[in-house]
Amino acid sequence: MSARTGRLRFTDALRVASVGLRARRMRAALSALGIAIGTAAIVGVLGLSASSQAGLLAEIDRLGTNMLTVEAGQSLAGGPAVLPNAAPAMIGHLAGVEQATDTSVVTTAGVYRNAMIPAANTGGLQVQAASVNLLAVLGTDVGQGEWLDEATAKLPVVVLGAAAAQRLGIDRVDLGARVWLGGMWFDVVGILEQSSLAPEVDNSAIVGYSAAQTYLGHVSVNRGVRETGSPTSIYVRTTTGHEVEVQELLARTANPEAPVEVNVSKPSDALTARAAAARAFDSLFLGLGAVALIVGAVGVANIMIIAVLERRSEIGLRRALGATKAQIRTQFLTESILLVIIGGVVGVLTGVAATAVYAASRGWTIVIPAQAWVGGIGCAILIGALAGIVPAIRASRMPPTVALRTV
C-alpha cells in the first residue's frame, strides 16, 4: 500500500488476494474447476467446429466442386425408372463435360464372407458393376491392392468399398483373400479409401462390367439385343465454371424420352449441407458451456461469501489498522477475479489440447479461433467480477470492532 496516497496498489492487491487463495488451495481448486469446465467446453466447441470446417473445405477443394451425379429416378407409373444404356456415352459428348463414368447395381447377386451365410443377411452391402475410369472421376484412392483395369474387369475379381471391407472382415489384400459373390468365389484385389462424393460406393463390392455379364448374368435386353445391365448412377466431371449449364442439360441428355425420370445432383453441396447441419449443434454445446460457467460462478460466489465469514477477524484488523472500505472491496473482488482467471486459463488450455488431439486424429487442420480463447478468458473475468461483488461489499461493511468480537 502506498504510504503517501493511502491507496492499494495493483501489485499489493494481487499479493493480498493470492494469500487468501494459497491458504485454502483445495477449496480454490474446486471452485476454479467449474469455471475451467465451462471455458474448456466453449473453447473446445469453437475449436472443433472451426477445425472441422477447415477439414471439410480442404476435402472439397481436393475433390472439386465440378462433379455431378445422374441417377435413375421414379417413372411416371410409380415404379423405379431405368436409364438408357447409351446415357453415359451421350453425356460424354456434351460440351463442358470432361469425364463421365457409370456404375450399375447388380440385383441378381449378393456378397458374403463365405458360402454358409444366409442369402438374406446382406449386411446392407450391394454388388455394383463399374467402368474402369470410376476412381479417376470420383477422386477416390485405393487404400490397398489395386483397381480394376481392362484385363481384370473381365475376370472374377472384386474391389471392396471401405465400409464393405470392414463389414466383411477383410482388412488387407493378400493371396487367398476372397468373398462369396453371386454363388461363386471372387478374389479380392483391392480395398478403396472412403469415397466422400459417392458414399454408395463405400457399401459396395465392385466388379467389372464384363465380369458382371459373364459370371453374374447382369444383362438387359434392348430391342432383342442382350446388353450389359443399364447404368444406375452416372458420375460426370465438368469443366470448372460450367457446372450450372451442364447440370441443366444432363436430364434431357441422359433420357431424352423421359427427362423427368432422371435425378441430377451435386455431391459437394451435400458435404456443405452436412457442415451446416453440424454447426447447428454448436449453439447447443455453447449453451451447455455457458450453463457450466454460471454454475461455476455460483460456486465462486458461495465460496467467497464463506471466505468473508471465516476471515472476519482479518477484515476487522485491517480496518482497525486504517484500511478503507474501498480497499477491502478491492481485495475480495481481486481474489474472486484471480480465482476465475486461474480456472479460465486451465479451461482454455484443456480445450485447446482436446481440440488439437481430436483434430489431429481426424487429419484436420488444427484451428483455434481467437474469439474462442479470448472469449473464454473474458467471460471468466466478467463472471469473477459478478461473483465477487456481493462478497466484497459484505466484507467492506464489517466494522473494525468485529476483530475484537472474534478474538
Side-chain angles (χ1 to χ4, degrees), residues 7-232:
R7 294 180 180 178
L8 190 66
R9 293 177 299 193
F10 178 72
T11 54
D12 293 332
L14 286 180
R15 180 172 55 81
V16 173
S18 64
V19 168
L21 297 181
R22 292 198 304 268
R24 301 164 179 82
R25 295 181 180 180
M26 182 59 69
R27 180 187 298 177
L30 293 176
S31 301
L33 181 60
I35 302 297
I37 292 174
T39 307
I42 292 176
V43 174
V45 167
L46 294 178
L48 288 176
S49 177
S51 299
S52 173
Q53 188 76 6
L56 181 60
L57 291 176
E59 181 72 5
I60 292 176
D61 290 340
R62 184 184 71 83
L63 298 173
T65 59
N66 62 334
M67 195 184 93
L68 302 172
T69 302
V70 179
E71 296 179 321
Q74 195 173 39
S75 67
L76 296 178
V82 177
L83 291 175
N85 286 48
M90 293 188 294
I91 290 174
H93 289 96
L94 280 176
V97 173
E98 293 182 346
Q99 288 181 295
T101 188
D102 61 288
T103 61
S104 178
V105 176
V106 182
T107 58
T108 58
V111 56
Y112 309 94
R113 189 67 181 88
N114 54 61
M116 305 302 295
I117 298 176
N121 296 345
T122 62
L125 304 181
Q126 60 184 358
V127 180
Q128 291 202 71
S131 301
V132 294
N133 65 334
L134 177 66
L135 297 193
V137 177
L138 295 183
T140 303
D141 297 324
V142 179
Q144 294 188 44
E146 58 186 16
W147 175 244
L148 302 172
D149 56 30
E150 296 294 343
T152 55
K154 301 176 182 179
L155 302 176
V157 298
V158 61
V159 176
L160 301 177
Q166 183 179 11
R167 294 178 190 174
L168 291 171
I170 299 177
D171 56 2
R172 62 181 182 273
V173 176
D174 52 17
L175 186 63
R178 58 182 186 172
V179 293
W180 186 255
L181 198 159
M184 61 179 296
W185 290 109
F186 273 64
D187 293 323
V188 178
V189 296
I191 298 175
L192 301 180
E193 298 283 358
Q194 186 175 1
S195 180
S196 300
L197 294 181
E200 61 275 6
V201 173
D202 293 337
N203 300 315
S204 300
I206 304 171
V207 299
Y209 266 110
S210 297
Q213 183 177 14
T214 303
Y215 301 104
L216 305 177
H218 186 54
V219 297
S220 62
V221 179
N222 185 16
R223 298 178 181 178
V225 179
R226 290 171 59 86
E227 301 175 340
T228 57
S230 59
T232 306

Side-chain angles (χ1 to χ4, degrees), residues 27 31 295-309 336 387-388 391:
R27 180 187 298 177
S31 301
V295 173
V298 173
V300 170
N302 186 44
I303 292 299
M304 291 303 300
I305 290 175
I306 295 175
V308 169
L309 296 176
S336 176

Side-chain angles (χ1 to χ4, degrees), residues 244-336:
V244 176
E245 50 263 42
V246 172
Q247 187 171 1
E248 293 176 350
L249 297 174
L250 282 178
R252 295 195 298 270
T253 304
N255 193 350
E257 296 181 356
V260 295
E261 298 180 357
V262 180
N263 296 329
V264 180
S265 61
K266 190 177 181 182
S268 60
D269 290 343
L271 293 179
T272 305
R274 188 177 67 187
R279 291 182 68 89
F281 290 97
D282 289 354
S283 57
L284 173 61
F285 291 114
L286 287 175
L288 294 177
V291 170
L293 283 177
I294 293 173
V295 173
V298 173
V300 170
N302 186 44
I303 292 299
M304 291 303 300
I305 290 175
I306 295 175
V308 169
L309 296 176
E310 290 180 344
R311 296 160 64 182
R312 287 177 297 175
S313 58
E314 172 193 337
I315 297 169
L317 181 59
R318 291 198 62 210
R319 289 296 310 279
L321 293 175
T324 64
K325 291 184 178 182
Q327 290 171 350
I328 297 297
R329 285 196 298 269
T330 301
Q331 173 190 345
F332 282 91
L333 191 60
T334 303
E335 186 172 328
S336 176

